[in-house]
């Protein structure tokens, strides 16, 4: 049976949804123009007034906003409400410059929880489920976001945060967690620790679902996780600027439903900024339709994806985004060829002897780019015979060449060499940027 959190909203006919979006967009442009000096200036510079926006098609007239705008107006220069109306802050890690600060009113938090309650319902979670939240708690949005979303939907939360993996596994068994929310990388690490301790996720726990996101991961990785652990692995997407973790796939696992009453989606050509059609791959741009503290207009997240407006088997009418390849700036250009780390993962995961952990190392040697992929063997395939090792390296090299059209060096490393991650994994070392 298909369950909905808010059936009327989730199955609203598309034309009604679009009418609602249009009204919300008109209100939004008036709201930001009145409440934010930043937006007023941005609109004035672009020569656009709120009354110019009457239809969804007029969205194109509005200027983009960027992560750099949030940094340039640090900490709260883009906010539309004074601090005393805020219920919470979250702050991004700021590894690539000044951190970005996101603020939430009570209504913003409620909308965030609602978004997740709809999503969790769509994957069959609710009352009676114990959701172990192993995303980091704190300034990162993952932990607290899932925490309150899980409470909203009526599940019981086990707020383990990330780390302390053996204890997590004990609690998972003792309290009977039925779902886990963490990065796919952390779940891989957790499964490895479980194996080392003789715990079978499939037989010794009640886990039935994983809510995995915050970093790119591939369909092939999904198959591996599902086969090895017997759980259903669901993709969850969000960014701190939009609130945090927000939307998941439904039970059919064919793209992530983005709630149209909360967000307006576009995909653009990253070079020209032109809107692309549904089904075309490009850079995701989102306009928030329901946020009070920090509404974002045509926000260039930078993630590469495809919008799918085809009806979904689940009956939800809200559009879907297909697996996110990563941010445009995660793309590596190696000898003129574009490579996303996720593409490498997709190829590696089809080779049974290759384990789940890998590292991409890019270098420049004598003016020429080189790419080395370090891999570990699975326990089942492990061999220390030179011939086997060379054979596997060649097999991986050929598979990568076939798909990426790029000659790479493959290096088999000892198990455990590649750093394990409890949060977002670092899968690339680009020495050209040092
Ligand atoms: O990672 C929010 C989140 C927490 C999402 C927990 C899902 C689960 P940020 O730290 O701001 O927020 O990073 C957002 O992570 O722009 C994508 O590049 C990437 N990302 C997030 N989810 C996915 C996903 C959180 N499912 C950035 N697939 C985004 C691919 C993802 N990339």
């Amino acid at each position: 049976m298909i369950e909905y959190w808010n059936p009327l909203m989730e199955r609203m006919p598309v034309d009604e949804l679009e009418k609602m979006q249009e009204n919300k967009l008109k209100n939004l442009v008036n709201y930001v123009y009145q409440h934010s000096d930043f937006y007023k200036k941005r609109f004035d510079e672009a020569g656009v007034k709120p009354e110019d926006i009457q239809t969804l098609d007029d969205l194109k007239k509005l200027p983009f906003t960027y992560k750099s705008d949030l940094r340039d107006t640090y900490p709260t220069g883009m906010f539309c409400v004074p601090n005393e109306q805020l219920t919470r802050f979250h702050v991004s890690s700021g590894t690539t410059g000044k951190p970005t600060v996101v603020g939430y009113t009570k209504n913003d938090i409620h909308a965030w929880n609602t978004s997740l309650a709809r999503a969790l319902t769509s994957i069959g979670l609710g009352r009676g489920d114990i959701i172990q939240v192993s995303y980091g708690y704190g300034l990162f949005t993952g932990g607290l976001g899932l925490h309150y979303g899980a409470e909203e939907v009526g599940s019981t939360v086990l707020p383990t945060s990330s780390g302390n993996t053996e204890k997590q596994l004990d609690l998972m068994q003792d309290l009977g967690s039925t779902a886990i929310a963490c990065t796919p990388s952390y779940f891989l690490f957790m499964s490895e620790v479980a194996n080392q301790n003789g715990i079978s996720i499939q037989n010794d726990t009640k886990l039935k679902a994983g809510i995995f996101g915050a970093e790119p991961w591939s369909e092939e990785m999904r198959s591996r996780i599902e086969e090895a652990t017997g759980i259903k692995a669901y993709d969850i997407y969000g960014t701190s600027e939009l609130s945090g973790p927000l939307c998941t796939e439904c039970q059919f696992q064919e793209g992530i439903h983005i709630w149209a009453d909360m967000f307006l989606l576009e995909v653009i050509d990253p070079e020209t900024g032109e809107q692309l059609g549904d089904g075309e791959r490009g850079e995701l741009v989102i306009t928030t339709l329901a946020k009070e503290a920090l509404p974002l207009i045509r926000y260039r997240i930078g993630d590469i994806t495809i919008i799918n407006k085809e009806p979904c088997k689940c009956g939800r009418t809200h559009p879907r985004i297909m697996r996110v390849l990563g941010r445009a700036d995660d793309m590596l250009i190696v000898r003129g060829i574009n490579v996303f780390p996720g593409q490498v993962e997709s190829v590696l995961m089809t080779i049974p002897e290759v384990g789940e952990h890998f590292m991409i190392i890019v270098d420049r040697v004598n003016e020429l780019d080189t790419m080395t992929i370090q891999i570990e063997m699975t326990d089942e395939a492990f061999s220390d015979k030179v011939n086997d090792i060379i054979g596997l390296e060649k097999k991986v090299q050929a598979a990568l060449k076939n798909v990426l059209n790029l000659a790479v060096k493959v290096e088999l490393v000892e198990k455990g060499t590649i750093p394990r991650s409890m949060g977002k994994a670092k899968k690339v070392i680009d020495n050209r940027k040092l």
Side-chain angles (χ1 to χ4, degrees):
M1 201 181 70
I2 298 178
E3 304 244 12
Y4 304 92
W5 179 252
N6 180 343
L8 276 182
M9 177 59 74
E10 291 168 52
R11 293 190 302 187
M12 185 177 279
V14 173
D15 54 343
E16 281 176 42
L17 261 184
E18 289 184 347
K19 193 76 215 150
M20 177 191 284
Q21 288 188 311
E22 204 164 86
N23 287 332
K24 287 191 174 213
L25 179 65
K26 283 194 263 184
N27 290 338
L28 173 76
V29 286
N30 279 304
Y31 175 76
V32 298
Y33 198 76
Q34 281 166 25
H35 290 86
S36 150
D37 292 342
F38 168 86
Y39 277 115
K40 181 168 186 314
K41 185 159 173 267
R42 197 40 78 84
F43 283 19
D44 289 347
E45 279 165 3
V48 50
K49 292 262 175 281
E51 52 274 24
D52 296 335
I53 309 303
Q54 294 299 325
T55 67
L56 289 182
D57 203 42
D58 291 333
L59 184 66
K60 290 202 282 277
K61 297 180 185 164
L62 291 167
F64 292 118
T65 48
Y66 301 86
K67 193 164 185 125
S68 56
D69 292 322
L70 285 162
R71 293 210 180 100
D72 295 345
T73 57
Y74 176 87
T76 57
M78 276 174 77
F79 285 24
C80 288
V81 300
N83 279 1
E84 60 267 25
Q85 286 182 33
L86 298 176
T87 299
R88 201 192 302 166
F89 287 117
H90 278 286
V91 181
S92 80
S93 58
T95 40
T96 51
K98 250 196 185 325
T100 48
V101 177
V102 181
Y104 309 77
T105 63
K106 229 182 182 74
N107 287 336
D108 290 337
I109 296 281
H110 182 247
W112 185 8
N113 296 344
T114 303
S115 173
L116 278 170
R118 288 186 200 166
L120 295 173
T121 306
S122 81
I123 56 175
L125 297 176
R127 191 163 291 280
D129 281 299
I130 297 178
I131 304 185
Q132 184 162 338
V133 179
S134 309
Y135 284 111
Y137 278 63
L139 292 176
F140 177 54
T141 52
L144 286 170
L146 258 310
H147 181 103
Y148 288 108
E151 284 190 356
E152 180 76 21
V153 82
S155 299
T156 309
V157 181
L158 178 58
T160 47
S161 192
S162 57
N164 227 339
T165 308
E166 289 184 2
K167 185 163 180 197
Q168 300 240 10
L169 286 162
D170 286 345
L171 291 172
M172 184 186 285
Q173 295 173 89
D174 297 345
L175 296 174
S177 308
T178 56
I180 184 157
C182 60
T183 61
S185 301
Y186 188 38
F187 189 67
L188 289 175
F189 179 56
M190 214 179 261
S191 310
E192 202 171 43
V193 176
N195 278 339
Q196 284 158 4
N197 288 281
I199 302 165
S200 152
I201 301 262
Q202 184 145 24
N203 301 322
D204 302 329
T205 78
K206 293 197 175 135
L207 217 57
K208 60 179 183 186
I211 309 158
F212 301 136
E215 62 181 2
W217 59 300
S218 59
E219 275 309 305
E220 292 74 13
M221 183 66 89
R222 186 206 312 265
S223 308
R224 286 233 180 165
I225 291 175
E226 291 189 343
E227 274 161 33
T229 61
I231 68 166
K232 284 279 221 177
Y234 295 99
D235 198 5
I236 179 165
Y237 177 76
T239 81
S240 47
E241 304 93 302
L242 296 176
S243 279
L246 277 169
C247 295
T248 63
E249 306 169 301
C250 63
Q251 68 204 83
F252 295 101
Q253 297 177 307
E254 290 174 353
I256 294 170
H257 288 279
I258 306 281
W259 309 120
D261 52 321
M262 300 185 190
F263 303 100
L264 194 50
L265 301 181
E266 298 169 80
V267 159
I268 61 163
D269 177 329
E271 301 294 324
T272 64
E274 291 296 312
Q275 281 181 344
L276 298 175
D278 301 336
E280 284 188 270
R281 191 186 297 279
E283 182 186 328
L284 184 63
V285 174
I286 293 194
T287 299
T288 62
L289 295 174
K291 285 182 79 195
E292 293 178 341
L294 181 58
L296 291 171
I297 293 202
R298 301 197 82 198
Y299 183 65
R300 291 193 54 172
I301 296 170
D303 284 324
I304 302 296
T305 186
I306 295 172
I307 297 177
N308 178 359
K309 290 192 177 159
E310 298 289 308
C312 181
K313 292 183 197 123
C314 71
R316 290 179 182 80
T317 46
H318 298 236
R320 286 169 284 166
I321 57 168
M322 306 317 281
R323 215 171 251 288
V324 171
L325 265 182
R327 297 209 181 205
D329 50 14
D330 293 334
M331 187 178 77
L332 297 162
I333 305 179
V334 182
R335 298 201 293 279
I337 294 178
N338 301 344
V339 184
F340 276 98
Q343 292 173 297
V344 174
E345 180 182 292
S346 293
V347 176
L348 295 179
M349 292 307 108
T350 58
I351 303 171
E353 297 91 330
V354 177
E356 284 79 25
H357 302 275
F358 67 93
M359 182 65 83
I360 302 172
I361 301 164
V362 189
D363 243 309
R364 183 161 290 149
V365 182
N366 299 331
E367 300 301 310
L368 196 70
D369 294 335
T370 61
M371 187 155 135
T372 305
I373 319 277
Q374 291 185 334
I375 53 170
E376 294 177 9
M377 261 184 169
T378 55
D379 287 337
E380 299 72 39
F382 182 77
S383 160
D384 52 7
K385 293 201 190 91
V386 176
N387 276 351
D388 291 347
I389 292 174
I390 294 175
L392 178 58
E393 286 176 350
K394 284 201 169 136
K395 181 171 171 183
V396 175
Q397 216 166 13
L400 287 167
K401 172 96 204 229
N402 198 16
V403 175
L404 306 178
N405 203 13
L406 182 71
V408 302
K409 193 172 155 215
V410 174
E411 221 174 76
L412 199 65
V413 296
E414 219 171 291
K415 196 164 168 84
T417 311
I418 292 163
R420 307 313 196 225
S421 171
M422 304 204 190
K424 296 179 191 250
K426 184 175 165 60
K427 293 186 176 161
V428 178
I429 300 173
D430 193 341
N431 290 321
R432 299 171 303 179
K433 289 188 181 157
L434 293 179

